Amino acid sequence: MKRTFFAQPGLVLSYFLVLLLAATEAPLWISCFAAVILLWKWLSEKKNFPKFSRKLTAALSILMVAQVYLQYRTLLGQEASNTLLVGLSALKIMDYENERDHRFLILLGFIMVAMKAVFSVDIIWTLPSGIAFAGLWYALLNPEMRPRLRFLLRLFAASAPLAILLFLAFPRIVVPWAISRASSVGAVGFSDSLSPGNVAGLAAIDQLAFRAKFHHQAQNLETLYWRGAVLTSSEGLQWMRPRNQPRTSPRLKSSRGVRYEVIMEPGMRGYLFTLNYAKSVISDTLPFTEFKYAVFRSAQNLTKNQTYQAVSDENLFDTETPDEELKEVPSLPPKTQEWVSGVLAREKTPAGRMKELKRFFEDPEFVYTMRPGFYANNDLDEFLFGRKRGFCEHFAGAYGTLARALGLPSRVVVGYHGGVFNLIGDFWRISQKDAHAWVEVFINDRWEQVDPTEWIAPLRLNMGAERFFGLSEQQQAQYARTPRWGLGGEAEFSLTEAVSFFVDDLNYRWTYFILDFDLDQQRSFWAGLTKDLGAFLAIAVLAVLVGLLGVRRLLRGGERRAPIEKLMDQIIRWGEHRGVPYEFSEAPLRYLHRLAQTFPMQAQALTLVAQAYDRQIYREEYLSLEMVAASRKLWNELKNKKNAEVKPRRLEKSKN
Amino acid sequence: MDYAKAGNGPSRSSGKPPFLFRFPSLGLFRRRRSRTYIFPTGFGFAFGGMSLVLLMMAMGYGNNLIYLSVFALISVAFCSMYVTNENVRRLDVGLSRFGPIFSGEDNAVSIRVTNSSGSDSHDLSLSLAGTKNQTPLFVASSRKSMGTPIVWRPLRRGLTRFPRVKLESRFPFGLLRSWKNCDEQTQVIVVPERKGDPQFPSLEGAGLERGSLGLFRDHRPFQSTDSPRRVDWRATAKYQELLVKNFEGSEKVPLHFSWEQTKGLSNFEARLSQLSLWLSRAEDMGFSYSLRLGTTQFPEAQGMEHLRQCLEKLALAVEGDFE
């Protein structure tokens, strides 16, 4: 059978959606290529443009595969596969002309729907994916069938219980061929160094980093320091992380702690963010290592959502004695060196030097801004004594270096600060805007947290990055040092915020449900269900029976029966009970006539029913409900009247 | 009540249908349904392969959303299996009555498909075992019975078993194919192929001429089977079209066929074919006719029953029967 692509609404809609979904994860060139091919196909089908020959599409396929290989150096990675799928499906659409192409495209479409889930399990994609999924099935039905959509919806409804059962019961085996999730493309987050401008660049990205949900304890925004990487090697403004050193010191013990769960977004570099001071981190699905300085890191960047649970105790402090690496001071530029020498001469105690540092950074000339201009790695003089404009990383980097120069061991911590609390879902949403850097200084035999941003822009920490960077630059500059500006009064939420909270909460629950259902969850789910085995079996048998009957009814009842036909069914049952069954292939009117002859007391009603049936079914006349009701009423009145003598007469059979 | 309209089911009051025998004597439309078979199509296997790949992908990535997609795919396919099976299972297939079946010719045989359920059956097709003939897709509406013609070309005359009728459907998605065979052990008498000289034998040809002595009715266009002697040349000249005269049927004289009239043909089968052709033409043209085959005599008559008796005799003839 010859087929035309743009004459298949289900297929066109599905492909439009799956290509759109795949394009969000694919490079721009392949999306443009697919769009051009689709446009050309439309022109060739609708405006008689010359269509591509199969040889040409084959040649283009080879070129495209070569280009993908050149770009990704593989054809197997998920990005490469996705790019290939987009290109190949577009070329297949160009070739589309017969039943075989039609079916091939549909299979390809199903793969593309599933492929999207590799990149994101965000609820936002489930609606278009679901529509594409339904559209592909719709396209498989015979176009002449009526009504197609209703049939499909019934079939989906009948299939849903089985799909849910399979989802809950299919064992989540961890397979030996687990596909590598390594990805270097599109990874967001902190790298191994803190160069001036890194965090500011990250904070400019409006993208979700992770969500966190606390068990029972409410948290203040100001105290939420999400610790990620720890940088120990100073070059002035730039800091580098140490080589991977597994944790050696014994784990700190504490019975108290704040429990929380973190759901990381895909695309993040592999740091696991924890609050100070993380006692333990547990994850069933994400393999990670604990390094020195309480840094938790997975081996690879995240290509899908991952969850982990952590316990932190704010009353615990790291007391590990700093090694030499944490005391090394880089060569300081002249003005900085002069300031350091002055302080060293004036203040002899660590506490005094800390006060000097604080006083230095409280200078009102310091400006907190995302666009401070370019600084070289050791441009301390320009930053501290010249321009005086910086972002959190500049202040943290400079503070750490100055502290070391003053004999105080220090390290820079990068991570996130704060987040937006979702009142509906009771969780924190931390985005890249919340990216932050601060310092830890070894004083009084323990590592203490110091955040220089607190002196320069306390409003940023009190208000949260989301709202702070929502202010105009002028407002930011004007009110950055006013800690409570704009925070007075009752918190009011606009409708947009409420909707945003709701959608985000829905997304959170969806992500949580989809992610969290692993082998352990599955076991506990079934263990909970089968606790009372007898009750479980009884309910299961009942559910299966009801389910099967429901499914059977859903799949069988494909037609809408007219009221007169329903009445006819009743009469047939009535007749069968009285020994006059409806003969196979017997004309209904003939049967009614036969009944009327056999049961004279009901003859009047049967004749009326026959007339109504004849008019509606055979003559296809419009029959008002009143007429049907009248015949039903008469039938109900007469059906129980006793006949004097009933001699069931069967229809004469043909004698062959 | 208007019972004429009520005939949506096959007639059950018929006597023996012409040219149709059945052994053993089961009802023509059996209530006992034959078994329904189901098997994946090539596309179904491809779909299964794809589902397996996606399942591997879900396991490999440990991605629950892919699991959900795969299970949704599998569930829909599984439910469609029930639909595919039910689509065919609820139908009954049987042979309708039909006219003479000539060997070596394409005969249209009507297959009756009866749907006594409350749901329509879609995308059905019929085929005959051992042939490539397949009907286009059709729908069997609920509580209706319909005759669907299919072409059958038997290769030899005589009592022949009617090929197995296969009712098939790939509804709804083409993933699975379900079918049932209607194998009623039906024996059909296949009559000799119509072959030979279309002209009636000379003696009977005179009868044709005499037929023209009946009342003139009208003219009709010349057909290739008409004798050129029947052309009305005057009318032809007037209307610039080859026309022959039509006469009232009642005036047609009877035709008498006999085995001896074919003695010019040496081959036994060829002689049977010649008579088959004449008998069939005579019936079509509305003549009454008789047939003498050796000692067997079919007296002069007309109609399908008469034709059936004559052709059956020819169909079951063994060489040397009529000498």
Side-chain angles (χ1 to χ4, degrees), chain A residues 31-245:
Chain A
S31 309
C32 295
F33 173 76
V36 169
I37 294 281
L38 280 182
L39 182 66
W40 193 287
K41 180 69 177 174
W42 185 82
L43 289 171
S44 75
E45 282 186 358
K46 302 283 181 189
K47 307 285 177 193
N48 293 326
F49 258 49
K51 69 187 282 285
F52 287 17
S53 68
R54 294 222 172 206
K55 279 183 186 165
L56 180 59
T57 51
L60 283 173
S61 305
I62 293 168
L63 283 176
M64 192 198 61
V65 171
Q67 167 62 28
V68 170
Y69 185 77
L70 282 176
Q71 185 171 347
Y72 296 100
R73 296 288 160 194
T74 177
L75 295 176
L76 297 176
Q78 65 190 50
E79 286 85 10
S81 311
N82 187 54
T83 310
L84 273 179
L85 276 175
V86 173
L88 288 178
S89 56
L91 288 170
K92 195 66 204 165
I93 288 171
M94 179 51 86
D95 279 346
Y96 182 94
E97 60 183 13
N98 56 35
E99 196 63 31
R100 202 187 165 93
D101 298 331
H102 181 71
R103 292 181 167 172
F104 184 82
L105 262 189
I106 284 170
L107 292 186
L108 206 59
F110 282 133
I111 294 175
M112 288 176 75
V113 169
M115 193 72 193
K116 179 68 194 176
V118 174
F119 290 95
S120 170
V121 291
D122 200 305
I123 200 169
I124 210 166
W125 304 118
T126 53
L127 185 66
S129 294
I131 294 172
F133 179 86
L136 290 168
W137 282 113
Y138 183 83
L140 271 180
L141 290 171
N142 186 343
E144 286 167 18
M145 186 199 166
R146 297 285 181 278
R148 269 194 289 174
L149 192 60
R150 207 174 68 184
F151 168 79
L152 199 65
L153 291 177
R154 293 178 89 106
L155 191 66
F156 285 168
S159 315
L162 181 63
I164 293 168
L165 191 70
L166 280 172
F167 183 80
L168 295 175
F170 189 85
R172 297 299 193 275
I173 312 157
V174 179
V175 289
W177 65 84
I179 299 161
S180 163
R181 293 162 193 146
S183 168
S184 58
V185 181
V188 181
F190 299 100
S191 60
D192 297 340
S193 66
L194 181 74
S195 298
N198 275 8
V199 181
L202 203 59
I205 304 170
D206 190 10
Q207 188 180 319
L208 179 64
F210 58 92
R211 294 188 183 90
K213 190 171 178 106
F214 289 89
H215 296 273
H216 311 302
Q217 296 99 329
Q219 298 293 319
N220 288 327
L221 187 144
E222 296 89 335
T223 60
L224 292 178
Y225 279 88
W226 299 100
R227 188 185 160 90
V230 173
L231 311 173
T232 53
S233 172
S234 168
E235 287 183 20
L237 281 179
Q238 188 188 32
W239 283 69
M240 312 286 283
R241 82 174 170 94
R243 265 170 300 170
N244 288 343
Q245 293 171 306

Side-chain angles (χ1 to χ4, degrees), chain A residues 109 112 134 229-230 262 266 366 384 420 438 466 476 534:
Chain A
M112 288 176 75
V230 173
V262 176
F366 278 116
L384 295 173
V420 175
W438 60 97
E466 191 85 22
Q476 284 178 28

Side-chain angles (χ1 to χ4, degrees), chain A residues 6 15 18 61 111 130 168 186 314 322 345 447 452 520 543 556 607 624:
Chain A
F6 283 99
Y15 257 88
V18 291
S61 305
I111 294 175
L168 295 175
E314 58 183 1
W447 289 94
D520 288 337
R556 272 192 150 182
T607 309
S624 67

Side-chain angles (χ1 to χ4, degrees), chain B residues 74-149:
Chain B
I74 292 172
S75 306
V76 174
F78 187 80
C79 284
S80 83
M81 187 167 76
Y82 176 82
V83 175
T84 309
N85 188 63
E86 195 62 16
N87 194 47
V88 168
R89 197 197 61 80
R90 58 178 163 235
L91 303 178
D92 289 282
V93 189
L95 296 179
S96 279
R97 288 186 297 167
F98 41 76
I101 291 173
F102 295 94
S103 72
E105 295 180 26
D106 283 342
N107 300 276
V109 182
S110 178
I111 309 292
R112 186 150 289 277
V113 177
T114 306
N115 182 356
S116 49
S117 77
S119 307
D120 292 348
S121 284
H122 301 266
D123 299 358
L124 301 161
S125 71
L126 287 166
S127 61
L128 296 180
T131 69
K132 287 182 179 173
N133 296 336
Q134 197 165 24
T135 61
L137 296 184
F138 63 92
V139 176
S141 303
S142 62
R143 300 189 203 285
K144 294 240 162 63
S145 183
M146 62 187 295
T148 309

Side-chain angles (χ1 to χ4, degrees), chain A residues 382-515:
Chain A
E382 171 64 14
F383 170 56
L384 295 173
F385 303 101
R387 221 181 300 163
K388 295 197 172 184
R389 292 169 63 84
F391 196 57
C392 55
E393 64 203 277
H394 301 96
F395 294 109
Y399 184 97
T401 306
L402 291 181
R404 280 196 186 180
L406 296 175
L408 302 166
S410 66
R411 59 198 188 195
V412 169
V413 185
V414 282
Y416 297 87
H417 175 266
V420 175
F421 184 65
N422 188 315
L423 283 168
I424 297 172
D426 192 26
F427 62 86
W428 287 87
R429 183 184 193 279
I430 293 93
S431 72
Q432 299 297 353
K433 276 188 179 171
D434 298 305
H436 193 52
W438 60 97
V439 189
E440 284 175 347
V441 180
F442 192 77
I443 188 164
N444 301 331
D445 294 332
R446 66 186 196 187
W447 289 94
E448 287 205 29
Q449 180 182 301
V450 181
D451 186 358
T453 307
E454 208 177 314
W455 307 315
I456 297 132
L459 191 61
R460 148 72 183 87
L461 301 179
N462 294 343
M463 190 180 247
E466 191 85 22
R467 286 181 71 189
F468 182 79
F469 294 119
L471 301 174
S472 68
E473 279 195 33
Q474 193 189 357
Q475 283 175 320
Q476 284 178 28
Q478 196 173 349
Y479 301 111
R481 288 173 193 275
T482 316
R484 307 307 305 171
W485 184 85
L487 296 173
E490 288 293 311
E492 285 175 14
F493 292 102
S494 67
L495 184 66
T496 330
E497 279 174 318
V499 170
S500 153
F501 280 162
F502 176 75
V503 172
D504 202 34
D505 177 47
L506 200 66
N507 208 350
Y508 168 76
R509 284 169 195 277
W510 168 255
T511 312
Y512 190 86
F513 162 73
I514 283 293
L515 284 182

Side-chain angles (χ1 to χ4, degrees), chain A residues 117 304 514 556 559 587 593 654, chain B residues 3 6 12 62-64 86 118-119:
Chain A
K304 58 174 229 168
I514 283 293
R556 272 192 150 182
E559 45 133 26
H593 179 65
S654 57
Chain B
Y3 291 107
R12 301 179 57 85
N63 187 315
N64 276 328
E86 195 62 16
S119 307

